[in-house]
Structure formats: C-alpha cells, structure tokens
Amino acid sequence: MRKAWDLYEQHETWAEASRPNSDFFARHAADLARLSLGGSFSPEVWGDETPRALRGLDLAVRELGVRQLRLGLRWSRIEPRQGVIDLAPYRPFLDYCFESQIELCLNVGPVRVFRYPEEHVPGWVFDGSAEKPGPGSIIDTEAALARSALAYADRLLAALKREYGASLGAVSTIQIENEPFFPLGPSRWRFRPDYLAALAGRVRAALPGAGLLVTSAGRLDLDFIRDLFAGLRREGWPGRLVSGFDFHYKTPLRDSFPVIRHFDQVAYAVPFAPTLARHVWDSRDLGFEIEVSEGQAEPYGQFESPGNSARDFRFMILRCLDKVLDPERPALIRVWGIEYLTGRMLAGDLTEQHRDIIEIIQTVNGIPHADERRPDA
C-alpha cells in the first residue's frame, strides 16, 4: 500500500512538472525562493580542450548564475608518478573559481571521484608490493590501497595549501570518496567507516574551516552516512557535515528491472532503507546538512530526456524540494549535466526546451533571462 502511495505522489509531481515555466514559478515561488542551483563540473567531459572547458565554466557562472560548484580532482591526473604532485590539469579551473569567488566543493577522492569510471587510481599504486583489492572488496584502513590513498591525501592537501593559501577559504566543503558505501565503478569497491574517518581527519587537519561532504546513491546509504557523522561528532568534529543525495531517476540499470523501473529514487529503495523524512529528522538531531549533489539533467544511455526536457528538469527540482531537502532550510541542488547544457550553449544548439531549462536556472539564481544567448559573440 505504501509503495502505491509513493507511486501516486511521483505521478502527481510528474503531472505538476508539465505546467509551463510561468506556472512553475508562480505556484512554487516560496520553495524556489530558498533554492540555489549549483553544479558539478568535470573538465574531463571536454577532453583535452581546456580553453573550451573554461568557456563552458564561465557560461555556467556568468550566464546561469552558478555560484556553488563541485570540482573533482582525480588522483591519476595529479600524481601519475609516485610522489610528484602536479595541480596543472586543474589549475586553470581552480584559478578561475578562486578569482570568481565561487563557493567551491572539492571532491578529492582519492580513490573515487565523480564521473565515469569513478575509480581514478594511478597505475603505480598497484606496482610492487601493493595488492589490488578484488572486485567487490570493502576497503578499510589496513588495506594497502587505503594506506596509499591516505598518504596521497596528505600530499594533495599540502600542495593545495602551498599553492593557494588563503584562497582556500573559498572551499566550503571537501568531498571524500564519491558514494563510498555503494558498489560503484568497474571494481565495485566500498569503503569502511574507519577509513573514511581517517580520511576526514586528514581534511580537518589541513583545512579546519572546510566542511565535509559524503554522498549517497539515492536512499541506499543514508543510514551509513548518519552513523559516520554520528561517530565524527563523538570524536569532536567541529564543523559542517553535509549529506549529499544523488538523484538519478532515469538510468539503464533502473530500467532493467520490471517493477523498479517505474519508481524514482525517492519512491523506491531496497527493503528497510531509511525514508527521506527520517533522514531530515536525523540531520536536525545530529546537526548535519542535506544537499542534492547530483540532480540528473543530462542524457544517460537510452534516456535522452534528462537535460533535453524542461518538464524533466522541473520534475527533478520538485521531487528534490518536496522529498529530499529540509523544508525549513535553504536548499542546494547541484545540476548534474551543467557541462552538457553549456556545451550546447557554446555550439548554438539550443532548442526551446533548453531555453526553458536555462530560464529556470537563471530565475532561481537571480540572473535576468534573455531569449537569445550568443556566448560566441
């Protein structure tokens, strides 16, 4: 019976999302007033075209008003040779964000950083005596991979401090190991709380002013995040803790299951998974925040509508505002696919659906909307 009600609510939201932008703004003005639309930006999406990637980033900031940005730093790109830390692959993007006073979240991994293939461990880690964990392994502090990752985290954080100093005050949060409790990536590794707590300790020691972000694959891992945060609070963690919900509601894996394919990540999870209402209560009790770290807005597999349909975009926002985020606090949704949208803007390849999506982002973020955008002019 509960699942039938959940599915009914999901369909009601889908129907509400069919209304045009003017109705969307008017009917949901109070909720939209507390919302910011940020982004997750991966330079790797643009291949080796750093200038074009920077133009895409600038469009996100200047044209779309994205002021809260998550940037992933891949271990394999920063330390391709052991002991040699080089921020060059990310320096243009870090420089831009610091110069533009962006509120920055850095996903430092080390093992897992957002976007495929998720695992970004340099090959030298598994040379010599280091044993590569088997598929599906759970990584704890005793694992050779964990020891290498923690040592790299120390080197990376030290390099960031040396190069950027006081500018790191703009780093609001550090994200450790993307979706650490979910078997993600080619190796489907997961990470034990002892390792994550040790990694959090490195972050706290190096950047005591930064918060800590831990993300979940939908509802599947919310209790693990709650318990990790409770342990950190017991150990005296003084700063912000943020639970990041990843909302990908149209995926090939979800579509492969006959029943589950009809439910989004709000309406369905594994048996005994915590409800989102309880997660909000937990956040108030333990003093952590909730954000949507990935709000799907780009195509995935056979699903072309996310990122190309304003109705899908409105649905994503409404579901996250209604069910995921605390209704009594400011809300942040990081658009997953901001590179996809700005790429189309650069190419001059915008449909009316894209223009409606742009209008939503600009209106929510307080940027005047213009019908015609000419980023190459």
Side-chain angles (χ1 to χ4, degrees):
M1 179 62 81
R2 178 63 197 179
K3 288 303 173 194
W5 177 254
D6 289 342
L7 192 59
Y8 169 77
E9 287 190 320
Q10 178 180 317
H11 282 296
E12 285 292 289
T13 304
W14 180 244
E16 179 67 17
S18 69
R19 298 177 182 273
N21 278 359
S22 56
D23 289 354
F24 176 72
F25 297 140
R27 291 169 63 88
H28 303 282
D31 260 346
L32 295 176
R34 67 185 180 90
L35 174 65
S36 297
L37 290 174
S40 294
F41 189 86
S42 177
E44 288 80 9
V45 168
W46 307 82
D48 295 329
E49 298 183 68
T50 296
R52 187 170 175 80
L54 282 169
R55 290 169 66 199
L57 177 57
D58 187 64
L59 276 180
V61 172
R62 307 297 177 194
E63 297 280 330
L64 303 180
V66 171
R67 305 298 304 174
Q68 293 158 300
L69 193 79
R70 182 172 67 143
L71 180 67
L73 305 180
R74 298 183 179 183
W75 186 2
S76 55
R77 297 194 69 195
I78 288 176
E79 194 179 30
R81 292 185 296 120
Q82 184 173 6
V84 181
I85 297 290
D86 187 358
L87 299 176
Y90 299 103
R91 190 174 291 116
F93 306 97
L94 290 166
D95 289 348
Y96 177 92
C97 289
F98 290 136
E99 290 167 4
S100 302
Q101 298 181 316
I102 298 301
E103 183 181 319
L104 197 57
C105 170
L106 294 180
N107 180 195
V108 300
V111 175
R112 191 182 289 171
V113 173
F114 67 83
R115 280 206 179 273
Y116 185 84
E118 303 288 340
E119 301 163 10
H120 302 290
V121 182
W124 59 261
V125 170
F126 301 120
D127 292 342
S129 61
E131 182 179 348
K132 184 175 182 178
S137 295
I138 302 177
I139 311 301
D140 61 19
T141 51
E142 298 303 312
L145 174 59
R147 293 195 299 271
S148 294
L150 291 168
Y152 161 73
D154 286 335
R155 294 191 293 272
L156 171 62
L157 292 167
L160 287 167
K161 289 178 69 175
R162 280 195 308 272
E163 185 152 342
Y164 288 103
S167 295
L168 293 175
V171 176
S172 64
T173 47
I174 296 288
Q175 180 190 357
I176 54 174
E177 301 300 9
N178 192 48
E179 295 185 13
F181 299 108
F182 186 73
L184 191 63
S187 300
R188 299 177 63 80
W189 293 324
R190 289 177 290 162
F191 302 89
R192 289 198 187 278
D194 65 326
Y195 163 71
L196 296 172
L199 192 53
R202 265 64 175 185
V203 171
R204 177 181 172 183
L207 300 173
L212 187 77
L213 171 66
V214 181
T215 55
S216 166
R219 289 167 49 198
L220 300 179
D221 314 313
L222 297 180
D223 276 353
F224 293 110
I225 292 177
R226 176 204 62 198
D227 293 345
L228 175 65
F229 286 171
L232 292 175
R233 288 294 190 209
R234 285 194 299 270
E235 295 298 320
W237 184 276
R240 294 173 60 239
L241 297 170
V242 185
S243 172
F245 189 92
D246 290 349
F247 183 71
H248 294 267
Y249 60 103
K250 291 186 175 181
T251 70
L253 178 61
R254 179 174 296 276
D255 192 56
S256 67
F257 296 98
V259 175
I260 295 174
R261 64 192 301 234
H262 299 293
F263 295 82
D264 68 10
Q265 287 173 303
V266 168
Y268 188 87
V270 295
F272 309 112
T275 66
L276 289 165
R278 198 184 84 190
H279 194 57
V280 170
W281 299 335
D282 288 340
S283 75
R284 295 171 180 174
D285 289 341
L286 290 173
F288 63 84
E289 302 170 24
I290 301 172
E291 68 169 47
V292 175
S293 297
E294 297 178 9
Q296 186 181 4
E298 70 176 17
Y300 191 175
Q302 68 267 35
F303 295 104
E304 289 293 323
S305 57
N308 295 311
S309 159
R311 183 181 188 179
D312 277 69
F313 196 74
R314 290 188 291 262
F315 173 80
M316 180 272 291
I317 290 174
L318 290 175
R319 286 297 272 174
C320 292
L321 280 172
D322 291 346
K323 298 298 183 182
V324 178
L325 299 160
D326 189 332
E328 298 179 5
R329 305 195 65 166
L332 170 63
I333 298 174
R334 300 185 192 273
V335 176
W336 180 258
I338 207 74
E339 311 97 332
Y340 177 78
L341 181 58
T342 56
R344 297 196 74 132
M345 292 169 73
L346 284 172
D349 186 25
L350 297 176
T351 66
E352 288 303 314
Q353 293 294 307
H354 297 121
R355 291 188 175 90
D356 278 353
I357 292 170
I358 289 169
E359 181 184 37
I360 294 169
I361 298 173
Q362 291 174 332
T363 300
V364 168
N365 288 343
I367 302 295
H369 175 67
D371 291 333
E372 296 296 331
R373 296 279 168 178
R374 295 185 59 201
D376 291 318

